[in-house]
Amino acid sequence: MLLYPVYALLFADAGLSVGQISSLFVLWSLTGVLLEVPSGAWADAVSRRLPLWTGPLLGAAGFALWVLFPSYGAFAAGFVLWGARGALGSGALEALVYEELDGAGAADRYAAVMGRAHAVGQVAVMAATGLAGPVFAAGGYPAVGAASVLACLLCAATAACFPEHRTRPPAGSDTVGGEGPGGEGPGGGEGGDQRTAADGDEPDEGWTRRLRTGLCGPAGLAGLRRDRPLLGALLLVPAVTAVWGALDEYTPLLVRETGAADTAVPYLLMVIWAGVTAGSLLAGAAERLGRTGLAAVLACAALALAAGALTGAQAGIVLVGLAFGGFQTATVLADVRLQQRIEGTARATLTSIAGLGTELVTVAVYGAYGVLGARFAHGTVFALCALPYLLTALAVGLRRKGTGALPRGRGRGRSSALPQGGGRGD
């Protein structure tokens, strides 16, 4: 969306303080907190594709509000709609892609596929960022807003065309990390019920029952107490995703602080997104890094973030881009580990629970940024936000050897798992 590189500037130009801008980001995340798990349960119970195309329609409405009625109330309403859009897609997309690959016997390609998908999205962001400069110069915020609404509508149309073939396991086959009743993975092996959503059957569980299963059943949150590797994989997602995801919203302000003109901000943000795109493309190969290599990536990215932000110069944005690239690689690998660990029918729900953890940490980061941003320069706050990644890198590197191996041969159509020590959540 063309609004991405300039919407923080839109808020500032509308008279909002850093604290007010941070409060909008908190509202955005709180919306995700409230809707994350229910939307995942809905996707498990009804359709993974349905929320993927309805969500962008909500985003389009939110962006229209921003440019038509630029005020705190309109910004808040837009963030609620955008938060709902994010919650609808979170969990549903990962579950849909993983299970479609698993059904084709290609679950081992999940990291590469998702990495490339993220890269395509990030190239689109870079293209939109590059276009934002001249479009903003020609038509201001209304022009970039209209282009963003159009992009959301195209996104909805694309998602509506996704394939979906969902296998219904027999009742009682839900598990967290083990096989189904027949010993052949979810669904109890070849004798299981192979009807799919494409056959026109009713969903195997209602939304409320699916939500209870995801939260209280053996295939959901309650079962995490018995599956420590799955719990570790789930907790790693917010540990590597939340902080840099929150900082991303403040990058236009960081760039402006270097002395760049508003029309130049989108082009400098393209440098950051080039790093993120490279991180996505490297995710498939990075599966082989192992625990020590993963810790090194997180530590180097944290140091690059701090160094780049503290320079106060436009050249430092290159280091920030390298840091974001490392964090993006870690984000994809954390998702890979989680998807490999999940068994049973609550995949979207459990993925949404990981997303819920990310949103909760993100809210804390927004709150901290609002307080720190009122006292320190943006570069200083960015540097301070690198500290949690050094702690995460230390925790990953010090994990007891042998706890990070993924199971092999589990689940239908799963040709391989990640190499030992090559995943996330160790």
Side-chain angles (χ1 to χ4, degrees):
M1 63 174 188
L2 271 66
L3 265 174
Y4 162 73
V6 297
Y7 71 77
L9 307 182
L10 169 64
F11 303 156
D13 290 344
L16 274 62
S17 66
V18 173
Q20 288 176 311
I21 294 174
S22 292
S23 72
L24 291 174
F25 294 153
V26 169
L27 178 62
W28 183 18
S29 287
L30 286 177
T31 303
V33 167
L34 293 175
L35 299 180
E36 185 80 42
V37 177
S39 66
W42 182 46
D44 279 332
V46 181
S47 167
R48 273 75 182 265
R49 181 173 55 198
L50 178 61
L52 294 179
W53 67 261
T54 54
L57 300 180
L58 299 180
F63 298 149
L65 282 175
W66 285 1
V67 296
L68 291 176
F69 310 100
S71 62
Y72 185 87
F75 297 151
F79 267 120
V80 169
L81 291 170
W82 196 4
R85 171 197 176 172
L88 287 171
S90 176
L93 177 63
E94 293 86 352
L96 176 63
V97 173
Y98 189 88
E99 292 194 349
E100 289 296 311
L101 289 173
D102 196 23
D108 58 326
R109 296 184 54 207
Y110 179 80
V113 169
M114 289 301 286
R116 291 169 187 165
H118 282 299
V120 169
Q122 287 141 11
V123 169
V125 169
M126 286 194 294
T129 300
L131 287 172
V135 172
F136 180 72
Y141 294 118
V144 293
S148 298
V149 170
L150 177 60
C152 288
L153 297 179
L154 293 175
C155 181
T158 301
C161 298
F162 284 177
E164 182 175 17
H165 306 89
R166 295 180 59 188
T167 300
R168 282 177 43 182
S173 66
D174 288 343
T175 60
V176 177
E179 288 91 1
E184 299 291 339
E190 296 183 3
D193 188 347
Q194 297 299 312
R195 290 173 293 171
T196 68
D199 297 328
D201 293 331
E202 293 296 322
D204 59 303
E205 293 186 15
W207 173 78
T208 55
R209 183 181 174 188
R210 179 65 69 184
L211 182 59
R212 289 195 301 270
T213 299
L215 294 177
C216 305
L221 187 60
L224 292 175
R225 292 174 302 201
R226 299 188 302 274
D227 194 334
R228 298 294 296 276
L230 175 58
L231 178 60
L234 190 148
L235 292 176
L236 189 62
V237 172
V240 302
T241 304
V243 177
W244 83 273
L247 290 179
D248 180 46
E249 309 308 324
Y250 297 96
T251 51
L253 300 177
L254 176 69
V255 171
R256 176 188 263 182
E257 190 176 71
T258 66
D262 286 353
T263 53
V265 168
Y267 302 111
L268 288 169
L269 291 180
M270 289 178 66
V271 175
I272 296 178
W273 278 94
V276 176
T277 302
S280 294
L281 292 174
L282 291 171
E287 288 186 63
R288 299 186 293 272
L289 282 175
R291 186 175 60 252
T292 303
L294 171 60
V297 168
L298 288 171
C300 290
L303 294 174
L305 176 64
L310 288 174
T311 63
Q314 295 177 18
I317 301 301
V318 175
L319 287 176
V320 176
L322 290 175
F324 274 36
F327 296 145
Q328 173 63 17
T329 297
T331 296
V332 175
L333 292 182
D335 176 46
V336 170
R337 163 54 65 89
L338 180 61
Q339 298 304 323
Q340 290 281 357
R341 287 292 183 186
I342 296 174
E343 298 285 359
T345 60
R347 182 175 302 278
T349 304
L350 284 170
T351 305
S352 290
I353 290 171
L356 173 61
T358 299
E359 294 292 349
L360 290 172
V361 178
T362 300
V363 168
V365 176
Y366 288 149
Y369 201 108
V371 173
L372 294 172
R375 293 169 173 80
F376 303 104
H378 292 288
T380 302
V381 181
F382 268 65
L384 290 173
C385 288
L387 295 177
Y389 284 108
L390 292 176
L391 296 176
T392 301
L394 182 63
V396 171
L398 292 180
R399 283 288 290 178
R400 180 167 54 87
K401 189 175 182 178
T403 60
L406 280 173
R408 296 182 178 274
R410 287 165 48 182
R412 56 178 176 80
R414 188 168 299 166
S415 57
S416 68
L418 291 178
Q420 288 195 2
R424 303 298 305 279
D426 296 337

